[in-house]
Coordinates of all heavy atoms in Angstrom, one line a residue:
Y1 N -239.7 -3.6 -158.0 CA -238.5 -4.0 -158.8 C -238.5 -5.5 -159.0 O -238.2 -5.9 -160.2 CB -237.3 -3.5 -158.0 CG -236.0 -4.1 -158.6 CD1 -235.4 -3.6 -159.7 CD2 -235.4 -5.2 -158.0 CE1 -234.3 -4.2 -160.3 CE2 -234.3 -5.8 -158.5 CZ -233.7 -5.3 -159.6 OH -232.6 -5.9 -160.1
E2 N -238.7 -6.3 -158.0 CA -238.7 -7.7 -158.1 C -239.7 -8.2 -159.1 O -239.5 -9.2 -159.9 CB -238.8 -8.4 -156.8 CG -237.6 -8.2 -155.9 CD -237.7 -8.7 -154.5 OE1 -238.8 -9.0 -154.1 OE2 -236.7 -8.8 -153.8
G3 N -240.9 -7.6 -159.1 CA -242.0 -8.0 -160.0 C -241.6 -7.7 -161.5 O -241.8 -8.5 -162.4
R4 N -241.0 -6.5 -161.7 CA -240.5 -6.2 -163.0 C -239.4 -7.1 -163.5 O -239.3 -7.5 -164.6 CB -240.1 -4.7 -163.0 CG -240.1 -4.0 -164.3 CD -239.9 -2.5 -164.2 NE -239.0 -2.1 -163.1 CZ -237.6 -2.0 -163.3 NH1 -237.1 -2.4 -164.4 NH2 -236.9 -1.6 -162.3
S5 N -238.5 -7.4 -162.5 CA -237.4 -8.3 -162.9 C -237.9 -9.7 -163.3 O -237.5 -10.3 -164.3 CB -236.5 -8.5 -161.7 OG -235.4 -9.3 -162.0
R6 N -238.9 -10.2 -162.6 CA -239.5 -11.5 -162.9 C -240.2 -11.5 -164.3 O -240.1 -12.4 -165.1 CB -240.5 -12.0 -161.8 CG -239.9 -12.7 -160.7 CD -241.0 -13.3 -159.8 NE -241.9 -12.3 -159.3 CZ -241.7 -11.6 -158.2 NH1 -240.6 -11.7 -157.5 NH2 -242.6 -10.7 -157.8
Q7 N -240.9 -10.4 -164.5 CA -241.5 -10.2 -165.8 C -240.5 -10.2 -166.9 O -240.7 -10.8 -168.0 CB -242.4 -8.9 -165.8 CG -243.1 -8.7 -167.1 CD -243.9 -7.4 -167.0 OE1 -243.6 -6.5 -166.3 NE2 -245.0 -7.3 -167.8
R8 N -239.4 -9.5 -166.8 CA -238.4 -9.4 -167.8 C -237.8 -10.8 -168.0 O -237.6 -11.3 -169.1 CB -237.3 -8.5 -167.4 CG -236.1 -8.6 -168.3 CD -235.5 -7.4 -168.9 NE -236.3 -6.3 -169.3 CZ -236.0 -5.1 -169.0 NH1 -234.9 -4.8 -168.4 NH2 -236.8 -4.1 -169.4
R9 N -237.5 -11.6 -166.9 CA -237.0 -12.9 -167.0 C -238.0 -13.8 -167.8 O -237.6 -14.6 -168.7 CB -236.7 -13.6 -165.7 CG -236.0 -15.0 -165.8 CD -235.8 -15.7 -164.6 NE -237.1 -16.2 -164.1 CZ -237.3 -16.8 -163.0 NH1 -236.3 -17.1 -162.2 NH2 -238.5 -17.3 -162.7
D10 N -239.3 -13.7 -167.5 CA -240.3 -14.5 -168.3 C -240.3 -14.1 -169.7 O -240.4 -15.0 -170.6 CB -241.7 -14.2 -167.7 CG -241.8 -14.8 -166.3 OD1 -240.9 -15.6 -165.8 OD2 -242.8 -14.4 -165.6
Q11 N -240.1 -12.8 -170.1 CA -240.0 -12.4 -171.5 C -238.8 -13.0 -172.1 O -238.9 -13.5 -173.3 CB -239.9 -10.9 -171.6 CG -241.2 -10.1 -171.3 CD -240.9 -8.6 -171.3 OE1 -239.9 -8.1 -170.7 NE2 -241.8 -7.9 -172.0
I12 N -237.7 -13.0 -171.4 CA -236.4 -13.6 -172.0 C -236.6 -15.0 -172.2 O -236.2 -15.5 -173.3 CB -235.2 -13.3 -171.0 CG1 -234.9 -11.8 -171.0 CG2 -234.0 -14.1 -171.4 CD1 -233.9 -11.4 -169.9
V13 N -237.2 -15.8 -171.3 CA -237.4 -17.2 -171.4 C -238.3 -17.5 -172.6 O -238.0 -18.4 -173.4 CB -237.9 -17.8 -170.1 CG1 -238.4 -19.2 -170.4 CG2 -236.8 -17.8 -169.0
E14 N -239.4 -16.7 -172.7 CA -240.3 -17.0 -173.8 C -239.7 -16.7 -175.2 O -239.8 -17.5 -176.1 CB -241.5 -16.1 -173.7 CG -242.6 -16.2 -174.7 CD -243.1 -17.7 -174.8 OE1 -243.2 -18.4 -173.8 OE2 -243.5 -18.1 -175.9
L15 N -238.9 -15.6 -175.3 CA -238.2 -15.4 -176.6 C -237.2 -16.4 -176.9 O -237.0 -16.8 -178.0 CB -237.6 -14.0 -176.6 CG -238.6 -12.8 -176.5 CD1 -237.9 -11.5 -176.3 CD2 -239.4 -12.8 -177.8
H16 N -236.5 -16.9 -175.9 CA -235.6 -18.0 -176.0 C -236.3 -19.3 -176.5 O -235.8 -19.9 -177.5 CB -234.8 -18.3 -174.7 CG -233.9 -19.5 -174.8 ND1 -232.7 -19.4 -175.3 CD2 -234.1 -20.8 -174.3 CE1 -232.1 -20.6 -175.2 NE2 -233.0 -21.4 -174.6
R17 N -237.4 -19.6 -176.0 CA -238.2 -20.8 -176.4 C -238.6 -20.6 -177.8 O -238.8 -21.6 -178.5 CB -239.4 -21.0 -175.5 CG -239.1 -21.5 -174.1 CD -240.3 -21.5 -173.2 NE -240.0 -22.1 -171.9 CZ -240.7 -21.8 -170.9 NH1 -241.8 -21.1 -170.9 NH2 -240.4 -22.4 -169.7
Q18 N -238.9 -19.4 -178.3 CA -239.3 -19.1 -179.6 C -238.2 -19.3 -180.6 O -238.4 -19.2 -181.8 CB -239.9 -17.8 -179.8 CG -241.3 -17.6 -179.1 CD -241.8 -16.2 -179.1 OE1 -241.4 -15.4 -179.9 NE2 -242.8 -16.0 -178.2
G19 N -236.9 -19.4 -180.1 CA -235.8 -19.7 -181.0 C -234.9 -18.5 -181.2 O -233.9 -18.6 -181.9
L20 N -235.1 -17.4 -180.5 CA -234.2 -16.2 -180.7 C -232.9 -16.5 -180.0 O -232.8 -17.1 -178.9 CB -234.8 -15.0 -180.1 CG -235.7 -14.1 -181.1 CD1 -237.0 -14.9 -181.4 CD2 -236.1 -12.8 -180.5
K21 N -231.8 -16.0 -180.5 CA -230.5 -16.1 -179.9 C -230.4 -15.0 -178.9 O -231.1 -14.0 -178.9 CB -229.4 -15.9 -181.0 CG -229.4 -17.0 -182.0 CD -228.4 -16.7 -183.1 CE -228.2 -17.7 -184.2 NZ -228.8 -18.9 -184.2
G22 N -229.4 -15.1 -178.0 CA -229.2 -14.1 -176.9 C -229.1 -12.7 -177.4 O -229.8 -11.8 -176.8
Y23 N -228.3 -12.4 -178.4 CA -228.2 -11.1 -178.9 C -229.4 -10.5 -179.5 O -229.7 -9.3 -179.5 CB -227.0 -10.9 -179.9 CG -227.2 -11.6 -181.2 CD1 -227.7 -10.9 -182.3 CD2 -226.8 -12.9 -181.4 CE1 -227.9 -11.5 -183.5 CE2 -226.9 -13.5 -182.7 CZ -227.5 -12.8 -183.7 OH -227.7 -13.3 -184.9
E24 N -230.3 -11.4 -180.1 CA -231.5 -11.0 -180.7 C -232.5 -10.6 -179.5 O -233.3 -9.7 -179.7 CB -232.1 -12.1 -181.5 CG -231.3 -12.4 -182.8 CD -231.7 -13.7 -183.5 OE1 -232.1 -14.6 -182.8 OE2 -231.6 -13.7 -184.7
I25 N -232.5 -11.4 -178.5 CA -233.4 -11.1 -177.3 C -233.0 -9.8 -176.7 O -233.8 -8.9 -176.4 CB -233.3 -12.3 -176.3 CG1 -233.8 -13.6 -176.8 CG2 -234.0 -11.9 -175.0 CD1 -233.6 -14.8 -176.0
A26 N -231.7 -9.6 -176.6 CA -231.1 -8.3 -176.0 C -231.6 -7.1 -176.9 O -232.1 -6.1 -176.3 CB -229.6 -8.4 -176.0
R27 N -231.5 -7.3 -178.2 CA -231.9 -6.2 -179.0 C -233.4 -5.9 -178.9 O -233.9 -4.8 -178.8 CB -231.5 -6.5 -180.5 CG -231.7 -5.3 -181.4 CD -231.3 -5.6 -182.8 NE -230.1 -6.4 -182.9 CZ -229.9 -7.4 -183.8 NH1 -230.9 -7.8 -184.6 NH2 -228.8 -8.1 -183.8
E28 N -234.2 -7.0 -178.9 CA -235.7 -6.9 -178.8 C -236.1 -6.2 -177.5 O -237.0 -5.4 -177.5 CB -236.3 -8.3 -178.8 CG -237.7 -8.4 -178.7 CD -238.5 -8.0 -180.0 OE1 -237.9 -8.1 -181.1 OE2 -239.7 -7.6 -179.8
L29 N -235.4 -6.5 -176.4 CA -235.8 -5.9 -175.1 C -235.0 -4.7 -174.7 O -235.2 -4.2 -173.6 CB -235.7 -7.0 -174.0 CG -236.6 -8.2 -174.2 CD1 -236.4 -9.3 -173.1 CD2 -238.1 -7.8 -174.3
S30 N -234.1 -4.3 -175.5 CA -233.2 -3.2 -175.2 C -232.4 -3.4 -173.9 O -232.4 -2.5 -173.1 CB -234.0 -1.9 -175.2 OG -234.6 -1.6 -176.4
I31 N -231.8 -4.5 -173.8 CA -230.9 -4.8 -172.7 C -229.6 -5.4 -173.2 O -229.5 -5.7 -174.4 CB -231.6 -5.8 -171.7 CG1 -232.0 -7.1 -172.4 CG2 -232.8 -5.2 -171.1 CD1 -232.6 -8.2 -171.5
S32 N -228.7 -5.7 -172.3 CA -227.4 -6.2 -172.8 C -227.5 -7.8 -173.0 O -228.3 -8.4 -172.3 CB -226.3 -6.0 -171.8 OG -226.5 -6.7 -170.6
A33 N -226.7 -8.3 -173.9 CA -226.6 -9.7 -174.1 C -226.2 -10.4 -172.8 O -226.6 -11.6 -172.6 CB -225.7 -10.0 -175.3
G34 N -225.3 -9.8 -172.1 CA -224.9 -10.4 -170.8 C -226.0 -10.6 -169.8 O -226.1 -11.6 -169.1
L35 N -226.9 -9.6 -169.7 CA -228.1 -9.8 -168.9 C -229.0 -10.9 -169.3 O -229.5 -11.7 -168.5 CB -228.9 -8.5 -168.8 CG -230.1 -8.5 -167.9 CD1 -229.7 -8.8 -166.4 CD2 -230.9 -7.2 -167.9
V36 N -229.1 -11.1 -170.6 CA -229.9 -12.2 -171.2 C -229.3 -13.5 -170.7 O -230.0 -14.4 -170.2 CB -230.0 -12.1 -172.7 CG1 -230.6 -13.4 -173.3 CG2 -230.8 -10.9 -173.2
S37 N -228.0 -13.6 -170.8 CA -227.3 -14.8 -170.4 C -227.5 -15.1 -168.9 O -227.7 -16.2 -168.5 CB -225.8 -14.7 -170.7 OG -225.1 -15.8 -170.3
I38 N -227.4 -14.1 -168.1 CA -227.5 -14.2 -166.7 C -228.9 -14.7 -166.3 O -229.1 -15.6 -165.5 CB -227.2 -12.9 -165.9 CG1 -225.7 -12.6 -166.0 CG2 -227.7 -12.9 -164.5 CD1 -225.4 -11.2 -165.6
R39 N -229.9 -14.1 -166.9 CA -231.3 -14.5 -166.6 C -231.6 -15.9 -167.1 O -232.4 -16.6 -166.4 CB -232.3 -13.5 -167.3 CG -232.2 -12.1 -166.7 CD -232.6 -12.1 -165.2 NE -232.5 -10.7 -164.6 CZ -231.5 -10.4 -163.7 NH1 -230.7 -11.3 -163.3 NH2 -231.5 -9.2 -163.3
L40 N -231.1 -16.3 -168.3 CA -231.3 -17.7 -168.7 C -230.6 -18.7 -167.8 O -231.2 -19.7 -167.5 CB -230.8 -17.8 -170.2 CG -231.7 -17.2 -171.2 CD1 -231.0 -17.3 -172.6 CD2 -233.1 -17.7 -171.3
K41 N -229.5 -18.3 -167.3 CA -228.8 -19.2 -166.4 C -229.6 -19.3 -165.1 O -229.8 -20.4 -164.5 CB -227.4 -18.6 -166.0 CG -226.6 -19.5 -165.1 CD -225.3 -18.9 -164.8 CE -224.6 -19.8 -163.7 NZ -223.5 -19.1 -163.1
E42 N -230.1 -18.2 -164.6 CA -230.9 -18.2 -163.4 C -232.2 -19.1 -163.6 O -232.6 -19.8 -162.7 CB -231.3 -16.8 -163.0 CG -230.2 -16.0 -162.4 CD -230.6 -14.5 -162.2 OE1 -231.7 -14.1 -162.6 OE2 -229.7 -13.8 -161.7
A43 N -232.8 -18.9 -164.8 CA -234.0 -19.7 -165.1 C -233.7 -21.2 -165.1 O -234.4 -22.0 -164.5 CB -234.6 -19.3 -166.4
R44 N -232.5 -21.6 -165.7 CA -232.1 -23.0 -165.7 C -231.9 -23.5 -164.2 O -232.4 -24.6 -163.9 CB -230.8 -23.2 -166.4 CG -230.9 -23.4 -167.9 CD -229.6 -23.7 -168.6 NE -229.6 -23.2 -169.9 CZ -229.2 -22.0 -170.3 NH1 -228.6 -21.2 -169.5 NH2 -229.3 -21.6 -171.6

């Protein structure tokens, strides 16, 4: 679970670096925009 969670966070960070907005990342990964926000905050 933790490995999969880290992998998802890395995907979120990479898509963010590519310029996607939170809701676009959420749609791309089929997750909620809130989870994207949480993972980006954790990464920061």
Side-chain angles (χ1 to χ4, degrees):
Y1 167 78
E2 289 174 347
R4 201 168 39 83
S5 180
R6 275 190 302 276
Q7 183 180 22
R8 169 131 328 135
R9 185 186 73 180
D10 293 345
Q11 288 177 312
I12 291 169
V13 168
E14 182 59 29
L15 291 171
H16 175 78
R17 287 175 178 159
Q18 291 175 18
L20 272 68
K21 296 180 182 347
Y23 70 89
E24 295 169 325
I25 295 170
R27 190 177 320 137
E28 177 77 22
L29 299 178
S30 299
I31 58 177
S32 72
L35 181 58
V36 171
S37 177
I38 290 167
R39 294 297 177 249
L40 288 173
K41 180 181 178 199
E42 290 172 352
R44 273 186 210 94

